[in-house]
Amino acid sequence: MSFRKPGSQAPSGYRRWVKDAAQWVYRRRHIVALNALRGISYAAGTSSVGLIAVWFQSRH
C-alpha cells in the first residue's frame, strides 16, 4: 500500500476516488435537487387525489 505522506491514513488512490466522486456530485447537484422536487410533487399530487377519492366515496 502506498501513501503520499508519512502518517496519512488513506491511500492516494482512495483519496482520488473520493475527490472525483465529490466533484461529480457537486457538478450534478441541480439535477439531484430537481429530481427530489419532482418526486415530492408527484407524492403530494398522488396523496391529494387519493384523499379526494376517499372523501368522495365516503360521501356517496
Side-chain angles (χ1 to χ4, degrees):
M1 205 186 306
S2 66
F3 294 96
R4 284 193 173 168
K5 296 178 186 176
S8 65
Q9 297 297 317
S12 61
Y14 178 75
R15 271 190 247 125
R16 176 78 178 157
W17 182 85
V18 170
K19 183 180 177 184
D20 289 345
Q23 288 176 349
W24 184 86
V25 170
Y26 181 76
R27 285 192 308 264
R28 288 162 179 81
R29 68 190 182 282
H30 64 280
I31 295 171
V32 172
L34 289 175
N35 283 335
L37 181 61
R38 182 180 297 148
I40 291 168
S41 299
Y42 286 159
T46 303
S47 299
S48 299
V49 169
L51 287 173
I52 290 169
V54 168
W55 175 80
F56 185 77
Q57 288 178 354
S58 69
R59 294 285 190 180
H60 299 324

